[in-house]
Amino acid sequence: MPTTPSNPLAVIAELTHRCPLHCVYCSNPLELANRSSELSIEIWSRVFREASALGVLQADFTGGEPLARTDIIDLIRAARAAGLYVNLITSGLPLDEAKLASLAEAGLDHLQLSFQGAQEDVAQEISGTKSHAQKLRVLGWLKNFRVAVTLNFVIHRRNIGQIPEMLAIAESSSATRIEFANVQYYGWAFANRENLLPTREQLDRSLELIKQAQERRKGKIRIESVVPDYYAKFPKPCMGGWGRKLILITPSGDALPCHAAQVIPGLKFGNVKSRSLREIWENSDAFQKFRGEEWMQEPCRSCDRREQDFGGCRCQALLLAGDAAATDPVCSLSPLRPKVDAILASVNAVPLVGAQHAPPHLGTISTISSESPSSQHSNWLYRPNPA
């Protein structure tokens, strides 16, 4: 029986898959959309109006790099005209102070700036692009505008030792919120998992430093952290639960319950080119698939936590268990939890080497070159940039 959902709270607008960065943990799918398939501003404007009518409060502009859209200012205006709070999630490339002023004038409410590390060398290794100095310039410009700022530091084995430096960057900025988000392992991160997963020692030390910072900066900067699912006792309620709070629109118009949903075989996604957002949200097969509890297997079906974590991440269940309906294997109650424990045992058996805790087969930071991403480190699978 179809489950009647409450209204979504936010629409995640993947405006493009084009991006100047080639991050090895990118959440975009392995098969990227090219520019010719991107939705027009007319369709996006209609989607924003439909979202507002559906009860959506916020539009998160992401990508790829949303600034790659030459009509980004008009897109912000369209979302604001629909009454939505607009959050821009960006690498800061390409951006100059004049363009930032135009974004603010268009009605941008919030800017979330992502960092790959606290130093240029590690940031370049992970993103395949020299971008760190530009991000620091953007931070300086943001002090001149009435735009809320969040700094998102994506944490992994190669930069987890830089948290004190990351905090220093944040504390000298106009940011009111910092997120230390450990990489979650799907998309490009799943392909690079063995080189990204931190050790237990690294994770415990980082959480201690973050807790100290939270106490020290309480009331001044909101500091949040997200641990890797693999180290958790119970899974998180991915995206607040499948088809419960958020709706993601891909660059070509497919409406998804989460970033990685397209990896699940057999799902049919409605497209905003031909269907209204309300029709997709309320009736599409993909959004109905894992709503409610009827689809759950044991131990989820009889678990007291089933209304808290909703069985965990469906995409992670597919990647680790081969079944999207299985209990997320990161859960300590899952019969497949030993598989996750074996992955962690392998990661923790590799000794930490060098100042940035590099796996030995990656060498030290000083070996980073300015060559193309594909040749910097043969052990990384870099995200390409679609045409």
Side-chain angles (χ1 to χ4, degrees):
M1 180 180 296
T3 300
T4 302
S6 57
N7 294 336
L9 300 179
V11 60
I12 301 171
E14 278 190 349
L15 301 178
T16 180
H17 280 162
R18 290 174 287 136
C19 185
L21 275 59
H22 308 277
C23 296
V24 297
Y25 51 66
C26 182
S27 63
N28 286 161
L30 299 185
E31 186 174 338
L32 300 169
N34 58 37
R35 182 172 184 168
S36 62
S37 68
E38 293 174 6
L39 296 179
S40 66
I41 187 171
E42 289 77 18
I43 294 178
W44 275 119
S45 297
R46 172 175 58 79
V47 168
F48 298 147
R49 293 193 297 271
E50 291 178 351
S52 182
L54 191 56
V56 168
L57 302 176
Q58 177 168 320
D60 294 314
F61 285 8
T62 184
E65 173 49 66
L67 294 176
R69 291 278 303 224
T70 57
D71 55 358
I72 184 64
I73 293 172
D74 292 332
L75 286 162
I76 291 173
R77 288 190 179 122
R80 291 294 290 120
L84 300 178
Y85 181 93
V86 180
N87 174 38
L88 179 68
I89 304 170
T90 177
S91 67
L93 280 76
L95 186 63
D96 57 31
E97 192 169 8
K99 183 68 169 285
L100 180 57
S102 297
L103 297 174
E105 184 180 354
L108 180 65
D109 296 290
H110 186 276
L111 188 144
Q112 185 171 327
L113 187 63
S114 63
F115 279 81
Q116 286 70 45
Q119 301 171 1
E120 181 68 71
D121 45 16
V122 171
Q124 183 181 344
E125 176 192 350
I126 296 302
S127 69
T129 307
K130 286 186 175 181
S131 60
H132 188 69
Q134 166 66 6
K135 294 172 186 289
L136 297 179
R137 282 191 289 270
V138 173
L139 274 187
W141 300 332
L142 282 166
K143 294 178 180 179
N144 301 322
F145 300 97
R146 293 179 63 84
V147 174
V149 178
T150 290
L151 302 190
N152 182 22
F153 293 97
V154 184
I155 305 301
H156 46 80
R157 185 183 182 101
R158 296 289 281 135
N159 70 4
I160 196 167
Q162 299 179 353
I163 284 179
E165 296 166 86
M166 295 174 186
L167 284 165
I169 290 173
E171 291 171 352
S172 66
S173 74
S174 60
T176 56
R177 178 174 173 268
I178 314 168
E179 182 179 64
F180 292 104
N182 272 272
V183 171
Q184 304 298 335
Y185 294 95
Y186 49 81
W188 295 88
F190 187 77
N192 289 295
R193 183 181 63 194
E194 282 67 28
N195 292 327
L196 288 169
L197 259 172
T199 66
R200 168 60 73 178
E201 177 188 353
Q202 287 180 307
L203 181 63
D204 289 347
R205 176 57 178 156
S206 72
L207 294 178
E208 180 183 344
L209 290 171
I210 291 170
K211 182 179 179 180
Q212 292 172 2
Q214 289 171 329
E215 294 172 352
R216 187 178 71 251
R217 303 296 292 176
K218 187 176 181 179
K220 297 180 180 179
I221 301 179
R222 183 179 174 186
I223 302 174
E224 300 176 352
S225 65
V226 181
V227 302
D229 283 354
Y230 286 39
Y231 280 104
K233 183 178 181 180
F234 299 110
K236 65 180 183 300
C238 189
M239 303 294 283
W242 182 277
R244 290 173 180 264
K245 293 184 178 181
L246 306 172
I247 184 167
L248 182 145
I249 312 297
T250 70
S252 58
D254 284 342
L256 313 180
C258 73
H259 293 83
Q262 288 170 314
V263 304
I264 300 176
L267 289 184
K268 296 180 180 179
F269 301 101
N271 192 289
V272 296
K273 293 178 183 176
S274 56
R275 300 178 68 183
S276 73
L277 206 61
R278 180 177 293 277
E279 181 185 3
I280 293 171
W281 176 255
E282 294 180 349
N283 302 312
S284 72
D285 292 342
F287 277 85
Q288 288 290 347
K289 181 69 174 179
F290 298 113
R291 279 181 176 149
E293 300 177 6
E294 293 182 5
W295 60 271
M296 289 183 177
Q297 302 175 7
E298 292 293 351
C300 288
R301 183 180 289 270
S302 58
C303 181
D304 292 340
R305 294 182 55 85
R306 66 185 182 276
E307 294 182 0
Q308 298 176 47
D309 56 37
F310 312 109
C313 177
R314 299 301 88 222
C315 303
Q316 191 156 257
L318 176 71
L319 291 170
L320 293 175
D323 181 1
T327 298
D328 189 334
V330 304
C331 181
S332 58
L333 302 177
S334 167
L336 291 177
R337 175 66 207 195
K339 183 174 183 178
V340 176
D341 291 336
I343 294 169
L344 294 179
S346 176
V347 167
N348 282 274
V350 178
L352 300 177
V353 175
Q356 300 305 324
H357 297 166
H361 60 280
L362 284 182
T364 61
I365 296 299
S366 60
T367 63
I368 307 291
S369 73
S370 59
E371 296 173 347
S372 64
S374 61
S375 63
Q376 281 186 15
H377 285 286
S378 59
N379 292 285
W380 291 120
L381 180 62
Y382 284 91
R383 174 202 189 277
N385 193 13

